[in-house]
Amino acid sequence: MAADVWARVDGYFEDRFVQNDPVLLEVLKSSDEHGLPPHNVSPCQGMFLYILARSICAARILEIGTLGGYSTIWLARALSDQGVILTIEANEKYASVAAKNFVDSGMKDKIVLLNKEATLALQELVDKGVEPFDLIFVDADKSNNPAYLDLALNLVRVGTVIIGDNVVREGEVANALSQDCRVRGVRQFCDDLADNNTLKSTAIQTVGSKGYDGFTMSIVEQLQF
Ligand code: DHB
Ligand code: MG
């Protein structure tokens, strides 16, 4: 089955379920105009994140990897009234594009953007003893996924849901010999999820306008000591 069919079908669903959302279209346009890589989630995936966050009544969301803030805005829209999303972006240019997108989207008051290397930002959150998060979306540089998971597990409660984006990588996740540091990071991340007996985890493969990829989904069943 060819990638053009996946994209066409994604377009079909997008036309029905996401339709014209001028705010989000503007975010994609500004990200593109500033030369950001097209690594945002697709519109249907954005709606999936929104529905997931609403389903669990998320009031505190942590996103690792902001890029232009497209998924951040989807997740921010799902927050309860007093809710907040902390989003971490190491790249200064991406963070400045995202910051402007947060203002333009009217969602700025619900979003805290930390323009820092994610391991540093996460360690600071741990040291500060911040309240645990309800939902954690891991979507930054994939080679560091294991470190992000390690730190993020100090910021959870029983019931926290953790999503890891882009774990299939056109099937390369199943290639034990891959020398690609992103694939190796994702494979270690999956091993760490599997070996962690405080979590239940699964992975869902996806096709669509973003090609062949997928995500992990985990829930914290008990706290680790
Ligand atoms: C890549 C990263 C992403 O977060 C994404 O959604 C797609 C691709 C990448 O690094 O290749
Ligand atoms: Mg991604």
Side-chain angles (χ1 to χ4, degrees), residues 121-158:
L122 290 166
Q123 188 62 58
E124 283 177 21
L125 295 174
V126 173
D127 292 345
K128 272 195 216 161
V130 300
E131 293 281 305
F133 293 92
D134 307 310
L135 175 63
I136 301 179
F137 184 46
V138 184
D139 191 24
D141 52 325
K142 309 308 178 245
S143 55
N144 281 318
N145 265 17
Y148 300 152
L149 177 65
D150 236 23
L151 287 160
L153 285 172
N154 296 297
L155 300 167
V156 299
R157 59 166 171 83
V158 171

Side-chain angles (χ1 to χ4, degrees), residues 189-211:
F189 176 72
C190 291
D191 284 348
D192 293 350
L193 291 176
D195 291 344
N196 189 317
N197 58 17
T198 71
L199 303 173
K200 285 270 187 289
S201 297
T202 190
I204 303 294
Q205 302 182 62
T206 57
V207 293
S209 59
K210 295 283 163 180

Side-chain angles (χ1 to χ4, degrees), residues 2-198:
D4 62 333
V5 180
W6 306 337
R8 192 146 41 84
V9 172
D10 226 359
Y12 170 87
F13 288 129
E14 205 177 305
D15 284 348
R16 275 147 191 81
F17 300 139
V18 189
Q19 295 154 359
N20 272 342
D21 189 318
V23 169
L24 287 166
L25 287 173
E26 194 53 39
V27 170
L28 292 181
K29 185 160 164 257
S30 102
S31 300
D32 187 46
E33 282 170 2
H34 287 91
L36 271 54
H39 291 163
N40 50 278
V41 298
S42 71
C44 286
Q45 289 167 347
M47 186 65 92
F48 168 76
L49 291 174
Y50 172 89
I51 294 170
L52 172 66
R54 292 275 288 165
S55 307
I56 62 170
C57 301
R60 288 179 56 77
I61 302 177
L62 174 64
E63 179 180 60
I64 306 170
T66 314
L67 196 61
Y70 183 77
S71 50
T72 321
I73 292 168
W74 272 108
L75 289 165
R77 286 176 170 182
L79 288 166
S80 53
D81 273 355
Q82 302 305 313
V84 67
I85 176 165
L86 266 73
T87 184
I88 303 170
E89 177 54 60
N91 183 295
E92 205 172 320
K93 179 178 163 190
Y94 300 174
S96 79
V97 173
K100 181 166 185 314
N101 286 336
F102 297 154
V103 173
D104 294 349
S105 66
M107 299 308 294
K108 184 173 92 52
D109 293 346
K110 290 190 169 288
I111 303 170
V112 176
L113 170 60
L114 304 173
N115 180 201
K116 279 186 184 160
E117 206 271 303
T119 51
L120 293 179
L122 290 166
Q123 188 62 58
E124 283 177 21
L125 295 174
V126 173
D127 292 345
K128 272 195 216 161
V130 300
E131 293 281 305
F133 293 92
D134 307 310
L135 175 63
I136 301 179
F137 184 46
V138 184
D139 191 24
D141 52 325
K142 309 308 178 245
S143 55
N144 281 318
N145 265 17
Y148 300 152
L149 177 65
D150 236 23
L151 287 160
L153 285 172
N154 296 297
L155 300 167
V156 299
R157 59 166 171 83
V158 171
T160 296
V161 173
I162 304 171
I163 303 284
D165 199 20
N166 315 113
V167 296
V168 173
R169 316 205 65 85
E170 299 187 316
E172 278 300 289
V173 69
N175 177 6
L177 301 178
S178 175
Q179 294 303 308
D180 182 327
C181 63
R182 295 164 301 182
V183 173
R184 293 168 72 100
V186 157
R187 285 177 59 86
Q188 188 62 53
F189 176 72
C190 291
D191 284 348
D192 293 350
L193 291 176
D195 291 344
N196 189 317
N197 58 17
T198 71

